[in-house]
Amino acid sequence: MLPGQLGIGVFSPPLDARGNSVRGIRVCDALSRHCDLHLFNRPSVGNSAIRLTSTAAELSSNRVRTAEESQVLQAFGNRIRIYQLQGDLTFASTEAVVRDVIERVNDIQHLILDLKRVLTINESACRLFCEVLRKFSALDKTVVFTHAERLPLLRQYLRTKLGGRWQELFRSLDDNDLALEWCENRVLETALAHRGDGEIVQRSQYELLEKFTPEEIELLAALLRRKTYEQGEVIINAGDDAGEMFFLARGSVSVFIPLEAGGRKRLATFSAGMIFGEMAIIDRAPRSAMIVADSSVECDALSVEDFDRLGTIHPGIKIKLLESLSRCLCRRLRAANRKLSVFD
């Protein structure tokens, strides 16, 4: 009996001088070594290893999706499940996590295990995660670890036990945002097989112009300037004057802010058909973030000066553009609110 962890009953003759089963004692010794179980290895009291669990229908990545993509992820996002783990991962605490995962396995296609708040992990917990990887692989499902670099024992154990399948089965990303985006992309690849990468989006397909007539789009197009950027090129730098907003015709761009500890954090990624840099039209304040081309990019730029001229030459189009911009910002705010509610 291990208080707070488990109890095991064994029965097998012959008995030793104390009346205990000889083979039973050997089995218990083997289990103790195998699972790192000991009477004095007490689990943390009152703390579950599962801090939070949610799905991609509740919590999305920072990649801003088109209306079509958002509908797919709302419909199938519950196939992506995220577990935020915490505390010390031992046999007893990890077994509770694995049991919860296996009970839901029929509803999960992609599993994300967030280890950011895990303090320690022992070999028995690594062994349980290894079995989860093998089971999910056999069912053609995926497991993604985040913040795994904090626990080198896990990486070392899985590399040893998985052998030649290490590269295939062990997926590790730096944070939940990247893991969520990777899983979302797998779902979208299946549901939207017709999509083509690198295609140029027509102006009538821009999210901000979805309610515009062809005549209104043609009038607005006269004020747009086509610009191109190479992969990795900085389109906007933090601190730049806010001189224009962009309609993304091809490729994708990401928004970053610098971190005090060095490096940078991604705030959002935008795909073809979306807008970025739109705050220039609203507050005219200096840029607050850096925007970088993730791929070869084409976009239509609308300068602040030309936007202001719209009020004189085509006031109806300017009003309609502001209405569309308000709807777009509201959608993004609601998405941010859903994400915050998960962590409340």
Side-chain angles (χ1 to χ4, degrees):
M1 172 69 73
L2 293 175
Q5 299 189 63
L6 68 129
I8 301 174
V10 295
F11 173 80
S12 176
L15 306 181
D16 62 18
R18 296 183 179 86
N20 296 319
S21 168
V22 175
R23 291 173 178 169
I25 292 296
R26 290 178 181 173
V27 166
C28 290
D29 285 342
L31 281 173
S32 180
R33 290 191 303 272
H34 187 74
C35 298
D36 195 23
L37 302 173
H38 192 278
L39 178 64
F40 297 111
N41 287 349
R42 297 295 301 276
S44 301
V45 178
N47 286 331
S48 168
I50 301 176
R51 177 179 180 268
L52 177 71
T53 180
S54 58
T55 71
E58 305 163 307
L59 178 67
S60 61
S61 72
N62 285 332
R63 186 175 189 113
V64 182
R65 301 294 184 178
T66 65
E68 182 183 31
E69 291 172 334
S70 296
Q71 290 172 1
V72 170
L73 292 176
Q74 279 297 306
F76 300 103
N78 57 359
R79 303 288 292 169
I80 304 170
R81 182 161 287 274
I82 309 104
Y83 283 80
Q84 291 186 353
L85 307 183
Q86 64 182 359
D88 301 310
L89 295 184
T90 61
F91 173 81
S93 59
T94 308
E95 188 276 335
V97 176
V98 172
R99 180 162 22 95
D100 192 85
V101 168
I102 297 305
E103 287 175 354
R104 303 173 187 258
V105 71
N106 291 334
D107 300 322
I108 301 174
Q109 183 61 38
H110 304 286
L111 172 67
I112 298 174
L113 296 172
D114 176 10
L115 308 177
K116 183 177 182 178
R117 293 172 177 81
V118 172
L119 301 177
T120 63
I121 189 170
N122 67 13
E123 190 169 305
S124 61
C126 295
R127 182 176 291 107
L128 289 172
F129 284 136
C130 186
E131 293 306 314
V132 169
L133 282 177
R134 288 185 172 129
K135 182 174 183 62
F136 268 61
S137 174
L139 296 173
D140 197 25
K141 300 171 184 285
T142 58
V143 179
V144 182
F145 291 93
T146 63
H147 305 287
E149 73 283 351
R150 301 179 60 256
L151 304 169
L153 176 62
L154 176 65
R155 180 182 292 269
Q156 294 165 7
Y157 182 91
L158 293 177
R159 191 179 195 118
T160 299
K161 295 299 182 181
L162 295 175
R165 302 194 68 195
W166 152 260
Q167 296 285 354
E168 172 195 352
L169 298 185
F170 183 71
R171 295 177 178 85
S172 177
L173 294 170
D174 292 340
D175 57 37
N176 289 344
D177 181 46
L178 295 175
L180 273 168
E181 182 182 357
W182 187 90
C183 294
E184 289 171 351
N185 288 341
R186 304 290 83 73
V187 171
L188 292 171
E189 284 170 6
T190 301
L192 302 176
H194 62 277
R195 294 193 311 169
D197 294 332
E199 294 181 357
I200 295 180
V201 170
Q202 301 303 310
R203 286 168 176 154
S204 59
Q205 297 174 293
Y206 289 159
E207 62 173 344
L208 218 59
L209 307 183
E210 59 185 356
K211 295 185 181 296
F212 279 53
T213 65
E215 293 75 21
E216 290 170 331
I217 292 174
E218 186 176 350
L219 290 171
L220 180 60
L223 301 177
L224 301 177
R225 288 180 298 129
R226 181 57 60 99
K227 293 188 172 185
T228 61
Y229 300 90
E230 296 303 317
Q231 182 177 8
E233 189 173 351
V234 176
I235 301 172
I236 292 173
N237 255 314
D240 286 352
D241 290 335
E244 53 197 351
M245 65 178 287
F246 299 85
F247 298 83
L248 189 53
R250 180 173 62 86
S252 65
V253 302
S254 289
V255 185
F256 298 96
I257 56 170
L259 300 176
E260 291 184 4
R264 60 191 188 183
K265 178 178 177 60
R266 183 182 73 159
L267 296 182
T269 295
F270 299 102
S271 303
M274 298 179 179
I275 57 165
F276 63 93
E278 70 279 2
M279 298 305 290
I281 297 297
I282 301 174
D283 63 5
R284 314 297 170 96
R287 303 291 191 180
S288 58
M290 172 191 289
I291 299 181
V292 180
D294 296 329
S295 61
S296 179
V297 163
E298 290 187 44
C299 51
D300 286 323
L302 176 64
S303 70
V304 169
E305 293 76 17
D306 284 334
F307 177 77
D308 290 339
R309 278 206 307 132
L310 271 176
T312 302
I313 59 177
H314 301 298
I317 292 180
K318 181 174 183 177
I319 292 171
K320 204 165 183 178
L321 198 59
L322 284 170
E323 289 174 344
S324 294
L325 186 58
S326 297
R327 285 193 297 271
C328 179
L329 293 175
C330 285
R331 285 196 296 269
R332 294 178 186 177
L333 180 59
R334 289 193 184 97
N337 288 341
R338 284 197 301 271
K339 184 177 295 187
L340 289 173
S341 69
V342 172
F343 292 101
D344 186 19

